[in-house]
Amino acid sequence: KSKPNHMCVTPASLIELIHTKGFKKIDLSEVYTWGSGGEGMTREEENIINEKILQQKGQYKVTNGYGASEIGAPFSTEKDGVNRAGSVGIPLPGNNYIIFKHGTKIMAQYNEVGDVCIMLKDAGYVDQDGFLYVKGRYVDAIQKDGKYIFPVDIEDAIYETRMIKTCAVAKDEEKDFNMFVVPLPGVENR
């Protein structure tokens, strides 16, 4: 009869949870923490997850974070009231970082995607208010005409059609993207 109070999972696990048969019967009123990390989450995915949590009597939204075992702990996190969809929050006190233009040691401008200095294989940017956004790993991106295209960019574009329930994009061995798309009911025949 005990209920969890804290959930710390990947975005993919949260998406799977809200689409699980029987999810609509779950009372989430006693879950106080929805921590998410380990991979990126699109703005649309975050909005859908938060909407589903609220529908199940949840009182708190998903809080995204960024970190890695290499740096010992979380590097950044969101805080209730200052969340920004798509962001992994503001770096925690004492964590210094810099975003370099990809492949250089030249500092990137606000909102310019570049190398996150704590893990140079990650791509991200910081906005003028200090919120950190992680686009993904360069190893998961495809380079086209000198620019990097990340799976999350394609997922965001697919979600903007408002015709799908969920989607996932990943690079294959031929360095092309494969897509898994679940359309909304009734969209299959359009």
Side-chain angles (χ1 to χ4, degrees):
K1 298 217 175 209
S2 61
K3 295 181 180 179
N5 300 121
H6 308 282
M7 300 285 288
C8 296
V9 296
T10 64
S13 297
L14 282 170
I15 291 165
E16 186 173 332
L17 174 67
I18 65 171
H19 293 299
T20 300
K21 190 175 182 180
F23 177 76
K24 292 182 178 182
K25 297 177 184 175
I26 299 172
D27 178 357
L28 299 176
S29 62
E30 293 185 35
V31 180
Y32 305 111
T33 305
W34 289 97
S36 176
E39 61 187 9
M41 181 186 320
T42 67
R43 289 182 174 124
E44 186 66 22
E45 287 171 332
E46 186 173 345
N47 291 336
I48 289 168
I49 290 167
N50 284 328
E51 181 181 308
K52 298 288 185 185
I53 289 171
L54 293 174
Q55 288 172 359
Q56 298 311 118
K57 301 180 185 175
Q59 302 173 49
Y60 301 95
K61 293 181 177 181
V62 171
T63 300
N64 293 302
Y66 178 62
S69 57
E70 297 92 325
I71 59 172
F75 177 79
S76 69
T77 189
E78 292 181 321
K79 182 177 160 189
D80 228 16
V82 292
N83 293 359
R84 222 170 253 176
S87 171
V88 293
I90 296 174
L92 298 167
N95 286 322
N96 297 316
Y97 69 97
I98 191 168
I99 310 289
F100 291 115
K101 291 178 187 249
H102 181 60
T104 74
K105 295 297 179 197
I106 300 169
M107 197 163 91
Q109 300 297 312
Y110 288 122
N111 300 312
E112 180 182 0
V113 175
D115 298 337
V116 179
C117 76
I118 61 168
M119 293 180 66
L120 292 177
K121 302 248 186 267
D122 287 353
Y125 64 94
V126 65
D127 69 15
Q128 60 274 13
D129 297 321
F131 283 83
L132 178 64
Y133 296 78
V134 178
K135 297 288 287 182
R137 301 232 158 141
Y138 281 106
V139 69
D140 296 329
I142 290 177
Q143 194 171 10
K144 191 125 177 133
D145 299 326
K147 294 186 179 184
Y148 285 88
I149 304 169
F150 295 91
V152 70
D153 296 325
I154 296 172
E155 290 168 355
D156 278 341
I158 292 170
Y159 276 116
E160 284 177 15
T161 68
R162 304 278 190 241
M163 297 191 313
I164 61 125
K165 184 175 184 177
T166 190
C167 73
V169 176
K171 188 169 79 173
D172 63 21
E173 296 82 29
E174 283 82 41
K175 299 194 185 296
D176 200 2
F177 286 127
N178 286 317
M179 292 177 261
F180 172 75
V181 178
V182 178
L184 289 170
V187 173
E188 297 91 354
N189 298 325
R190 287 189 192 180

mmCIF file of all heavy atoms in Angstrom, residues 140-165:
data_model
loop_
_atom_site.group_PDB
_atom_site.id
_atom_site.type_symbol
_atom_site.label_atom_id
_atom_site.label_comp_id
_atom_site.label_asym_id
_atom_site.label_seq_id
_atom_site.Cartn_x
_atom_site.Cartn_y
_atom_site.Cartn_z
ATOM 1 N N ASP A 140 25.706 11.331 -31.887
ATOM 2 C CA ASP A 140 24.347 10.992 -32.318
ATOM 3 C C ASP A 140 23.835 11.899 -33.434
ATOM 4 O O ASP A 140 22.735 11.684 -33.953
ATOM 5 C CB ASP A 140 23.377 11.080 -31.132
ATOM 6 C CG ASP A 140 23.695 10.061 -30.057
ATOM 7 O OD1 ASP A 140 24.191 8.972 -30.406
ATOM 8 O OD2 ASP A 140 23.440 10.355 -28.871
ATOM 9 N N ALA A 141 24.595 12.915 -33.790
ATOM 10 C CA ALA A 141 24.169 13.889 -34.801
ATOM 11 C C ALA A 141 24.680 13.499 -36.187
ATOM 12 O O ALA A 141 25.595 12.701 -36.331
ATOM 13 C CB ALA A 141 24.689 15.273 -34.437
ATOM 14 N N ILE A 142 24.056 14.096 -37.198
ATOM 15 C CA ILE A 142 24.504 13.938 -38.583
ATOM 16 C C ILE A 142 24.993 15.300 -39.050
ATOM 17 O O ILE A 142 24.346 16.314 -38.806
ATOM 18 C CB ILE A 142 23.354 13.449 -39.486
ATOM 19 C CG1 ILE A 142 22.996 12.009 -39.142
ATOM 20 C CG2 ILE A 142 23.728 13.572 -40.952
ATOM 21 C CD1 ILE A 142 21.834 11.467 -39.923
ATOM 22 N N GLN A 143 26.143 15.312 -39.709
ATOM 23 C CA GLN A 143 26.670 16.567 -40.237
ATOM 24 C C GLN A 143 26.234 16.710 -41.688
ATOM 25 O O GLN A 143 26.441 15.815 -42.504
ATOM 26 C CB GLN A 143 28.190 16.591 -40.119
ATOM 27 C CG GLN A 143 28.760 17.966 -40.330
ATOM 28 C CD GLN A 143 30.239 18.035 -39.998
ATOM 29 O OE1 GLN A 143 30.877 17.028 -39.778
ATOM 30 N NE2 GLN A 143 30.781 19.226 -39.978
ATOM 31 N N LYS A 144 25.597 17.826 -41.992
ATOM 32 C CA LYS A 144 25.092 18.099 -43.340
ATOM 33 C C LYS A 144 25.424 19.545 -43.672
ATOM 34 O O LYS A 144 25.058 20.449 -42.925
ATOM 35 C CB LYS A 144 23.584 17.876 -43.370
ATOM 36 C CG LYS A 144 23.000 17.881 -44.732
ATOM 37 C CD LYS A 144 22.238 16.581 -44.932
ATOM 38 C CE LYS A 144 21.589 16.601 -46.272
ATOM 39 N NZ LYS A 144 21.803 15.403 -46.995
ATOM 40 N N ASP A 145 26.106 19.760 -44.774
ATOM 41 C CA ASP A 145 26.490 21.108 -45.212
ATOM 42 C C ASP A 145 27.202 21.890 -44.108
ATOM 43 O O ASP A 145 26.967 23.079 -43.914
ATOM 44 C CB ASP A 145 25.262 21.878 -45.702
ATOM 45 C CG ASP A 145 24.579 21.217 -46.898
ATOM 46 O OD1 ASP A 145 25.312 20.622 -47.719
ATOM 47 O OD2 ASP A 145 23.344 21.291 -46.988
ATOM 48 N N GLY A 146 28.050 21.194 -43.348
ATOM 49 C CA GLY A 146 28.835 21.841 -42.309
ATOM 50 C C GLY A 146 28.077 22.119 -41.020
ATOM 51 O O GLY A 146 28.636 22.675 -40.087
ATOM 52 N N LYS A 147 26.808 21.728 -40.939
ATOM 53 C CA LYS A 147 26.009 21.947 -39.726
ATOM 54 C C LYS A 147 25.609 20.607 -39.135
ATOM 55 O O LYS A 147 25.467 19.619 -39.850
ATOM 56 C CB LYS A 147 24.759 22.760 -40.048
ATOM 57 C CG LYS A 147 25.055 24.167 -40.483
ATOM 58 C CD LYS A 147 23.797 24.962 -40.651
ATOM 59 C CE LYS A 147 24.162 26.387 -41.065
ATOM 60 N NZ LYS A 147 23.030 27.245 -41.167
ATOM 61 N N TYR A 148 25.430 20.594 -37.823
ATOM 62 C CA TYR A 148 25.023 19.377 -37.134
ATOM 63 C C TYR A 148 23.512 19.359 -36.971
ATOM 64 O O TYR A 148 22.912 20.346 -36.564
ATOM 65 C CB TYR A 148 25.685 19.274 -35.760
ATOM 66 C CG TYR A 148 27.139 18.880 -35.857
ATOM 67 C CD1 TYR A 148 28.131 19.839 -36.002
ATOM 68 C CD2 TYR A 148 27.501 17.538 -35.839
ATOM 69 C CE1 TYR A 148 29.458 19.472 -36.106
ATOM 70 C CE2 TYR A 148 28.829 17.162 -35.945
ATOM 71 C CZ TYR A 148 29.797 18.127 -36.079
ATOM 72 O OH TYR A 148 31.106 17.756 -36.197
ATOM 73 N N ILE A 149 22.917 18.208 -37.292
ATOM 74 C CA ILE A 149 21.482 17.992 -37.093
ATOM 75 C C ILE A 149 21.359 16.937 -36.012
ATOM 76 O O ILE A 149 21.912 15.839 -36.130
ATOM 77 C CB ILE A 149 20.797 17.512 -38.393
ATOM 78 C CG1 ILE A 149 21.043 18.511 -39.525
ATOM 79 C CG2 ILE A 149 19.309 17.287 -38.151
ATOM 80 C CD1 ILE A 149 20.645 17.993 -40.890
ATOM 81 N N PHE A 150 20.640 17.276 -34.947
ATOM 82 C CA PHE A 150 20.473 16.380 -33.814
ATOM 83 C C PHE A 150 19.103 15.715 -33.862
ATOM 84 O O PHE A 150 18.135 16.314 -34.346
ATOM 85 C CB PHE A 150 20.631 17.152 -32.503
ATOM 86 C CG PHE A 150 22.014 17.694 -32.315
ATOM 87 C CD1 PHE A 150 22.344 18.964 -32.772
ATOM 88 C CD2 PHE A 150 22.991 16.935 -31.706
ATOM 89 C CE1 PHE A 150 23.629 19.458 -32.624
ATOM 90 C CE2 PHE A 150 24.273 17.416 -31.551
ATOM 91 C CZ PHE A 150 24.600 18.687 -32.004
ATOM 92 N N PRO A 151 18.990 14.483 -33.365
ATOM 93 C CA PRO A 151 17.686 13.813 -33.335
ATOM 94 C C PRO A 151 16.587 14.673 -32.712
ATOM 95 O O PRO A 151 15.468 14.702 -33.206
ATOM 96 C CB PRO A 151 17.956 12.560 -32.501
ATOM 97 C CG PRO A 151 19.399 12.251 -32.753
ATOM 98 C CD PRO A 151 20.054 13.615 -32.847
ATOM 99 N N VAL A 152 16.903 15.419 -31.662
ATOM 100 C CA VAL A 152 15.888 16.241 -30.991
ATOM 101 C C VAL A 152 15.335 17.320 -31.927
ATOM 102 O O VAL A 152 14.160 17.679 -31.828
ATOM 103 C CB VAL A 152 16.440 16.853 -29.678
ATOM 104 C CG1 VAL A 152 17.485 17.913 -29.946
ATOM 105 C CG2 VAL A 152 15.321 17.408 -28.823
ATOM 106 N N ASP A 153 16.149 17.826 -32.853
ATOM 107 C CA ASP A 153 15.662 18.825 -33.812
ATOM 108 C C ASP A 153 14.586 18.234 -34.714
ATOM 109 O O ASP A 153 13.572 18.876 -35.003
ATOM 110 C CB ASP A 153 16.818 19.357 -34.666
ATOM 111 C CG ASP A 153 17.867 20.097 -33.844
ATOM 112 O OD1 ASP A 153 17.494 20.769 -32.870
ATOM 113 O OD2 ASP A 153 19.059 19.991 -34.193
ATOM 114 N N ILE A 154 14.802 17.004 -35.154
ATOM 115 C CA ILE A 154 13.822 16.338 -36.014
ATOM 116 C C ILE A 154 12.579 15.984 -35.203
ATOM 117 O O ILE A 154 11.447 16.162 -35.663
ATOM 118 C CB ILE A 154 14.447 15.097 -36.682
ATOM 119 C CG1 ILE A 154 15.576 15.546 -37.610
ATOM 120 C CG2 ILE A 154 13.392 14.291 -37.433
ATOM 121 C CD1 ILE A 154 16.401 14.434 -38.179
ATOM 122 N N GLU A 155 12.772 15.497 -33.973
ATOM 123 C CA GLU A 155 11.625 15.169 -33.120
ATOM 124 C C GLU A 155 10.764 16.409 -32.864
ATOM 125 O O GLU A 155 9.533 16.338 -32.927
ATOM 126 C CB GLU A 155 12.105 14.559 -31.799
ATOM 127 C CG GLU A 155 12.691 13.171 -31.971
ATOM 128 C CD GLU A 155 13.427 12.671 -30.740
ATOM 129 O OE1 GLU A 155 13.581 13.435 -29.754
ATOM 130 O OE2 GLU A 155 13.860 11.501 -30.764
ATOM 131 N N ASP A 156 11.406 17.543 -32.586
ATOM 132 C CA ASP A 156 10.648 18.793 -32.381
ATOM 133 C C ASP A 156 9.810 19.131 -33.611
ATOM 134 O O ASP A 156 8.642 19.508 -33.503
ATOM 135 C CB ASP A 156 11.591 19.963 -32.076
ATOM 136 C CG ASP A 156 12.028 20.026 -30.624
ATOM 137 O OD1 ASP A 156 11.353 19.419 -29.767
ATOM 138 O OD2 ASP A 156 13.038 20.691 -30.343
ATOM 139 N N ALA A 157 10.396 18.992 -34.812
ATOM 140 C CA ALA A 157 9.670 19.299 -36.046
ATOM 141 C C ALA A 157 8.494 18.347 -36.248
ATOM 142 O O ALA A 157 7.411 18.762 -36.669
ATOM 143 C CB ALA A 157 10.624 19.235 -37.241
ATOM 144 N N ILE A 158 8.688 17.078 -35.916
ATOM 145 C CA ILE A 158 7.603 16.100 -36.052
ATOM 146 C C ILE A 158 6.478 16.427 -35.075
ATOM 147 O O ILE A 158 5.297 16.405 -35.443
ATOM 148 C CB ILE A 158 8.137 14.666 -35.832
ATOM 149 C CG1 ILE A 158 9.083 14.271 -36.981
ATOM 150 C CG2 ILE A 158 6.979 13.674 -35.716
ATOM 151 C CD1 ILE A 158 9.850 12.989 -36.734
ATOM 152 N N TYR A 159 6.823 16.753 -33.833
ATOM 153 C CA TYR A 159 5.793 17.097 -32.840
ATOM 154 C C TYR A 159 5.006 18.341 -33.249
ATOM 155 O O TYR A 159 3.819 18.459 -32.942
ATOM 156 C CB TYR A 159 6.411 17.320 -31.462
ATOM 157 C CG TYR A 159 6.619 16.042 -30.679
ATOM 158 C CD1 TYR A 159 7.891 15.613 -30.344
ATOM 159 C CD2 TYR A 159 5.538 15.266 -30.271
ATOM 160 C CE1 TYR A 159 8.085 14.442 -29.627
ATOM 161 C CE2 TYR A 159 5.726 14.096 -29.552
ATOM 162 C CZ TYR A 159 7.005 13.689 -29.233
ATOM 163 O OH TYR A 159 7.185 12.536 -28.524
ATOM 164 N N GLU A 160 5.655 19.277 -33.930
ATOM 165 C CA GLU A 160 4.972 20.510 -34.343
ATOM 166 C C GLU A 160 3.824 20.254 -35.315
ATOM 167 O O GLU A 160 2.943 21.090 -35.466
ATOM 168 C CB GLU A 160 5.979 21.497 -34.955
ATOM 169 C CG GLU A 160 6.831 22.170 -33.917
ATOM 170 C CD GLU A 160 7.875 23.099 -34.508
ATOM 171 O OE1 GLU A 160 7.772 23.453 -35.702
ATOM 172 O OE2 GLU A 160 8.809 23.470 -33.773
ATOM 173 N N THR A 161 3.800 19.072 -35.962
ATOM 174 C CA THR A 161 2.689 18.746 -36.862
ATOM 175 C C THR A 161 1.397 18.533 -36.095
ATOM 176 O O THR A 161 0.324 18.588 -36.671
ATOM 177 C CB THR A 161 2.986 17.471 -37.683
ATOM 178 O OG1 THR A 161 3.004 16.335 -36.803
ATOM 179 C CG2 THR A 161 4.276 17.595 -38.460
ATOM 180 N N ARG A 162 1.501 18.273 -34.779
ATOM 181 C CA ARG A 162 0.342 18.014 -33.904
ATOM 182 C C ARG A 162 -0.459 16.793 -34.366
ATOM 183 O O ARG A 162 -1.635 16.679 -34.073
ATOM 184 C CB ARG A 162 -0.587 19.230 -33.826
ATOM 185 C CG ARG A 162 0.077 20.499 -33.369
ATOM 186 C CD ARG A 162 0.164 20.498 -31.860
ATOM 187 N NE ARG A 162 0.581 21.796 -31.366
ATOM 188 C CZ ARG A 162 1.678 21.971 -30.669
ATOM 189 N NH1 ARG A 162 2.459 20.975 -30.400
ATOM 190 N NH2 ARG A 162 1.999 23.164 -30.216
ATOM 191 N N MET A 163 0.176 15.879 -35.100
ATOM 192 C CA MET A 163 -0.516 14.703 -35.601
ATOM 193 C C MET A 163 0.037 13.407 -35.013
ATOM 194 O O MET A 163 -0.358 12.330 -35.419
ATOM 195 C CB MET A 163 -0.440 14.650 -37.128
ATOM 196 C CG MET A 163 -1.136 15.823 -37.779
ATOM 197 S SD MET A 163 -1.372 15.706 -39.568
ATOM 198 C CE MET A 163 0.185 15.180 -40.188
ATOM 199 N N ILE A 164 0.971 13.505 -34.056
ATOM 200 C CA ILE A 164 1.565 12.291 -33.525
ATOM 201 C C ILE A 164 1.424 12.214 -32.017
ATOM 202 O O ILE A 164 1.344 13.217 -31.320
ATOM 203 C CB ILE A 164 3.046 12.169 -33.913
ATOM 204 C CG1 ILE A 164 3.867 13.341 -33.366
ATOM 205 C CG2 ILE A 164 3.246 12.086 -35.395
ATOM 206 C CD1 ILE A 164 4.988 12.847 -32.565
ATOM 207 N N LYS A 165 1.411 10.969 -31.533
ATOM 208 C CA LYS A 165 1.331 10.702 -30.098
ATOM 209 C C LYS A 165 2.734 10.723 -29.501
ATOM 210 O O LYS A 165 2.975 11.326 -28.476
ATOM 211 C CB LYS A 165 0.668 9.341 -29.887
ATOM 212 C CG LYS A 165 0.421 8.955 -28.473
ATOM 213 C CD LYS A 165 -0.351 7.642 -28.430
ATOM 214 C CE LYS A 165 -0.712 7.268 -27.016
ATOM 215 N NZ LYS A 165 -1.523 6.041 -26.980
#
